[in-house]
Amino acid sequence: MTHDHSSCCGGHGHHHDHSHGDGATGAADLSGPAESPIVVEVTRGGMVESVHRARACIVDAGGRVLARWGDIDAPVYPRSAIKALQAVPLVESGALDAFGLGDAELALACSSHNGEPVHTERVAAWIARVGLTVDDFECGAQIPYDAETAAALIRDGVAPSAVHNNCSGKHAGFLTTARHRGEPTRGYVRFDHPVQQRILGVMEQMTGQDLSRAPWGVDGCSIPTIGVPLGAVAYAMARIADPVDLPDARADAVTRIAKAWRAHPHLIAGRNRFDTAMMQASDGLVLVKGGAEGVGCAVLPESGIGIALKIEDGGDRAREVALAALIRSTKVLSDAQWARAATLLEAPLTSRVGQPVGVVRAAGGWLVGS
Amino acid sequence: MTHDHSSCCGGHGHHHDHSHGDGATGAADLSGPAESPIVVEVTRGGMVESVHRARACIVDAGGRVLARWGDIDAPVYPRSAIKALQAVPLVESGALDAFGLGDAELALACSSHNGEPVHTERVAAWIARVGLTVDDFECGAQIPYDAETAAALIRDGVAPSAVHNNCSGKHAGFLTTARHRGEPTRGYVRFDHPVQQRILGVMEQMTGQDLSRAPWGVDGCSIPTIGVPLGAVAYAMARIADPVDLPDARADAVTRIAKAWRAHPHLIAGRNRFDTAMMQASDGLVLVKGGAEGVGCAVLPESGIGIALKIEDGGDRAREVALAALIRSTKVLSDAQWARAATLLEAPLTSRVGQPVGVVRAAGGWLVGS
């Protein structure tokens, strides 16, 4: 292993010592931009059938890159993996407290939820409390991720609404902040609306990047998603894990967000979902959040580090297994905790009659010995 | 471009001239095994968000490799992409004619259908005609791919059955052949059952490979799927396109199968499905079939060539767009036909409110000028 001679977080807005990484975490090649390695393999019977490649890194709150794979300086759309950052203005503006909202709503603001009743009923009550209705959401309707809930809607003849959108908690947070600040709620998803501009500012400060010329696109829920170097996303996660160098108000906000995220793993996603299962197995030692197109983030408060991952092809199955493997490499969780999370590290594939036919697992050679 | 110095189909069982490829079809590097190139890119706003890699080749019925990308000598599980080959014994055994079945049933034997009523009612009638019931299927139940049909089952309180399994037509063919030959139907999915052993023989003869030591796994519908070099899969497709060198009975069988495949594009897949849309847009000039884990095949009878494709990560969206791009490179279809298939070459991505936010398309530089 070579030492790292670059930090993950150039740009402005922070004052960390960019000392060399110590490479303590893994067996990664730290020699700079490289082809995305194969990190996940999908087996079936006698051979590996498919593989997934990724860029990934593990970073501490000082900006030191502890381990890296592939080009972590290239941008990634972080999508829903950084909902915790998008929730910062909800806390910092005072909106959350002004409307008497609490940790459950804050967790929902950070969630990509299943649309189960436990999620949608809380979002509906929340939006009513701020004097708005489902018609104020601009995220669009979505069939719930949770198959049981989706079937129940069909049986009841109820069309899915924006409340069932997996992002409805985040959008409730946006609307709440706009209401609290007296801003127009209509158009809150647009790039130039104060709601989105505040988030852009949070992203710049937390990632230590000048994003004024960053590429951007429109997310599935209609808000902007900004291209940020993958290493800088991990750095922002590390600063949630260890906010000691953040300004006081921001440190308080991300600490409160992390507490809510940790306290409500079921609200973050829901049943049969990786994020919820991984956090429950970890007894709250790890906060995780996936996003569309294979983006995954993790916050490890005990060790003050952050992880960011982008599956090259955008595959969900690879994001989950690779994120579990990266978390395992940090040695934060015990063997007993991993025993409860065994199917997250190696996900079984079954035929339609339930016969095991293969697995999705970390690729041979990747993270060996971790 | 360099000339190809290898054929796709070593091994036994055929007598073709393994002359050098002429590289007429594309801009591929023909210099042998190589990293799988990026063939599909997924854009969002200002940047490419995800990419997909593939192995692929275009081969003629003489075994000449006209174009290749990545390692085409490495095995692939062809999954459902070679259902046309799995239907050969149904015809050759005389079972299809003996039970008074026709082109519609033969197309269903080649299909990965949507489970729409047009598919399931025919399969149910077929299986009754051979004196069997849904309980004889060993493929397992499946929620229909078609969302409208799936919702209708929920509304009606009907549990999906094996008839809704996308492979139920193929399994009806297996059962029909076993009945016709007086073989036990129970266990027809097992590797050593005569039904599967006959298919192994067809695979060996059509691909020109000794598969006695090939890796194999269990497919989602419980039957064996055999690892075959990707180039040899394309070769088998080319021999369907141009069966002139096949033994008479086999040539007659694959000609009849191709005719049924061509005549019933809706039975092959169904509404909102790539295979059906691609074949309809081509006015029957191209036969296509996708399989799980990113495998795609095409048969081009007019030019006597076959195409096989394996997306490295198994992604469906990439398989569809890449297969369309490969077909386009053969110049078999007219501009007017491609105008009808525009969204197959470049598939739009939309937000949940329907706003266009990106596309899935052939990667820049791949197949340039084709």
Side-chain angles (χ1 to χ4, degrees), chain A residues 230-298:
Chain A
L230 186 73
V233 175
Y235 174 56
M237 293 299 117
R239 299 178 90 184
I240 297 175
D242 177 6
V244 65
D245 287 340
L246 292 175
D248 286 352
R250 183 135 304 168
D252 290 349
V254 302
T255 300
R256 188 165 172 188
I257 289 166
K259 178 171 165 282
W261 188 355
R262 183 176 194 153
H264 294 285
H266 193 92
L267 293 183
I268 293 295
R271 59 191 166 207
N272 303 316
R273 293 279 300 281
F274 173 84
D275 289 354
T276 295
M278 184 72 245
M279 287 195 285
Q280 288 174 337
S282 83
D283 300 310
L285 293 180
V286 179
L287 311 178
V288 298
K289 186 69 189 69
E293 292 292 335
V295 182
C297 284

Side-chain angles (χ1 to χ4, degrees), chain B residues 89-101 130 173 176-178 180-181:
Chain B
L90 175 63
V91 178
E92 281 187 351
S93 68
L96 189 77
D97 290 333
F99 285 103
L101 304 164
V130 300
T176 301
T177 305
H180 179 64
R181 294 182 58 96

Side-chain angles (χ1 to χ4, degrees), chain A residues 35 44 46-47 49-53 77 79 142 165 216 218 220 293 310 312-313 317 351-352, chain B residues 35 44 46-47 49-53 77 79 142 165 216 218 220 293 310 312-313 317 351-352:
Chain A
E35 182 88 342
R44 180 175 298 265
M47 71 178 200
E49 182 168 23
S50 299
V51 297
H52 297 267
R53 296 164 189 269
Y77 287 141
R79 309 292 298 269
Q142 180 196 334
N165 187 307
W216 66 281
V218 176
E293 292 292 335
K310 163 65 182 177
E312 184 182 78
D313 61 76
R317 66 181 180 184
S351 72
R352 294 196 193 279
Chain B
E35 184 87 340
R44 180 176 299 265
M47 72 178 200
E49 182 168 23
S50 299
V51 297
H52 297 267
R53 297 166 187 268
Y77 287 139
R79 308 292 299 268
Q142 180 196 334
N165 187 307
W216 67 281
V218 176
E293 292 293 333
K310 163 65 183 175
E312 184 181 76
D313 60 77
R317 65 183 181 183
S351 71
R352 294 197 195 277

Side-chain angles (χ1 to χ4, degrees), chain B residues 166-180:
Chain B
N166 78 89
C167 300
S168 67
K170 180 180 71 177
H171 283 252
F174 294 161
L175 287 164
T176 301
T177 305
R179 285 286 269 187
H180 179 64

